[in-house]
Amino acid sequence: MRIVVPFAPGGTSDILARHIAPRLSDEIGQPVIVENKAGAGGNIGADFVAKAAPNGHTLLLSDLTALLAAPSVLSGISYDIEKDLEPVTMVSYSPYVLGVAQRHSFPSFDELVEYSRENPGGLSVATSGVGANNHITSERLSHGLDLDWNIIAYRGGSDATRAVVSGETDMLLNGTTASLPFALSGQMTPLAVTGEERLPELPDTPTFRELGLPGEMDGTYQAILITAGSPPEIIDRLHRALVEILDEEEMRGRIAEQGGIATPSSSREEVSEWMKAQKSELASFIEESQLAER
């Protein structure tokens, strides 16, 4: 069995997959490998899984928002996420950290906004790819605050993070699982986080809610999907095994150490309903903001 990660190694999806794979292997009694198939904001890997043999042996672990936004943002998407893929379970929610390259010395988000207004087009934002949730959130911020930022798509969260750490790009929003170590080590400066409350690891960094910013509950919503038409008994077995794994104290601890929250689903229908609602909301925002035309 393989878990396809549709982004480059080192991002949130990849880290989670490599935590889960050995435990899933133990549960089902067969090898489980992780395979990265990056590109097109996660859609190359998703397309691969959508068109795989429906034998229950190919899984997809991805940030769902990128895939749900794709039909509204990208042309040429050749699979239908609702018809060609089936949910197995949600995996985790990780808030976003807004991190800025060390070459800048903004002491707060307000100073970043002030600089942006004085230097329109002077700051660039790295994202995981066109249509990724951190792309949507970056657009939501720039539209909501009427700022002119250059938004740049990379091949995944790890590439986007490296671009900011190296100073190639000025800032990014990325899930805590992938970006928190760089914020804690001083390789980027955290100015704000999404989510209900401040992160214990970054107690001095305010939330979007405190700052009155749009997208306060945005973040990376990771899930595991499978090729549609796979045997129901295999999907049900995988659902039970993965929920059990994600409920384990050790696994919850691993995810929490990296700023995330394990969110196993009580049912696969629960994931389907969330996906429908999220897809509709994203389509509305993308249409209003004319992102597909940019």
Side-chain angles (χ1 to χ4, degrees), residues 49-73:
V49 177
K51 294 174 180 174
N55 55 18
H57 289 180
T58 307
L59 302 174
L60 176 75
L61 198 161
S62 177
D63 182 334
L64 278 184
T65 307
L67 309 184
L68 294 169
S72 300
V73 177

Side-chain angles (χ1 to χ4, degrees), residues 138-180:
S138 300
E139 296 281 7
R140 208 189 301 269
L141 268 179
S142 63
H143 280 251
L145 298 174
D146 194 26
L147 302 176
D148 181 12
W149 288 340
N150 295 314
I151 297 178
I152 303 171
Y154 286 84
R155 285 169 54 86
S158 58
D159 286 356
T161 302
R162 280 192 289 270
V164 174
V165 169
S166 70
E168 175 184 311
T169 313
D170 298 301
M171 59 181 167
L172 88 163
L173 285 147
N174 200 20
T176 51
T177 303
S179 59
L180 191 57

Side-chain angles (χ1 to χ4, degrees), residues 99-121:
V100 179
Q102 276 298 296
R103 59 191 175 85
H104 294 293
S105 56
F106 305 122
S108 70
F109 184 78
D110 286 343
E111 276 76 10
L112 182 148
V113 171
E114 183 179 347
Y115 179 90
S116 298
R117 296 199 192 286
E118 293 174 354
N119 301 272

Side-chain angles (χ1 to χ4, degrees), residues 18-55:
R18 294 181 193 282
H19 283 333
I20 291 169
R23 281 293 297 113
L24 183 58
S25 178
D26 292 341
E27 288 294 318
I28 64 175
Q30 65 183 82
V32 178
I33 63 169
V34 177
E35 186 173 342
N36 298 86
K37 289 186 177 295
N43 287 285
I44 288 177
D47 183 79
F48 177 85
V49 177
K51 294 174 180 174
N55 55 18

Side-chain angles (χ1 to χ4, degrees), residues 105-238:
S105 56
F106 305 122
S108 70
F109 184 78
D110 286 343
E111 276 76 10
L112 182 148
V113 171
E114 183 179 347
Y115 179 90
S116 298
R117 296 199 192 286
E118 293 174 354
N119 301 272
L123 291 178
S124 55
V125 187
T127 74
S128 301
V130 176
N133 201 24
N134 56 10
H135 170 212
I136 300 296
T137 304
S138 300
E139 296 281 7
R140 208 189 301 269
L141 268 179
S142 63
H143 280 251
L145 298 174
D146 194 26
L147 302 176
D148 181 12
W149 288 340
N150 295 314
I151 297 178
I152 303 171
Y154 286 84
R155 285 169 54 86
S158 58
D159 286 356
T161 302
R162 280 192 289 270
V164 174
V165 169
S166 70
E168 175 184 311
T169 313
D170 298 301
M171 59 181 167
L172 88 163
L173 285 147
N174 200 20
T176 51
T177 303
S179 59
L180 191 57
F182 297 96
L184 292 174
S185 67
Q187 293 176 274
M188 67 169 66
T189 303
L191 295 185
V193 297
T194 63
E196 295 280 3
E197 54 192 26
R198 294 191 182 194
L199 296 176
E201 299 85 354
L202 300 173
D204 298 325
T205 304
T207 65
F208 275 37
R209 181 172 294 173
E210 290 175 76
L211 297 172
L213 300 178
E216 62 182 34
M217 287 308 297
D218 283 1
T220 172
Y221 292 86
Q222 300 284 332
I224 290 179
L225 310 177
I226 196 168
T227 311
S230 294
E233 63 274 14
I234 292 181
I235 302 178
D236 289 341
R237 183 186 178 197
L238 287 169

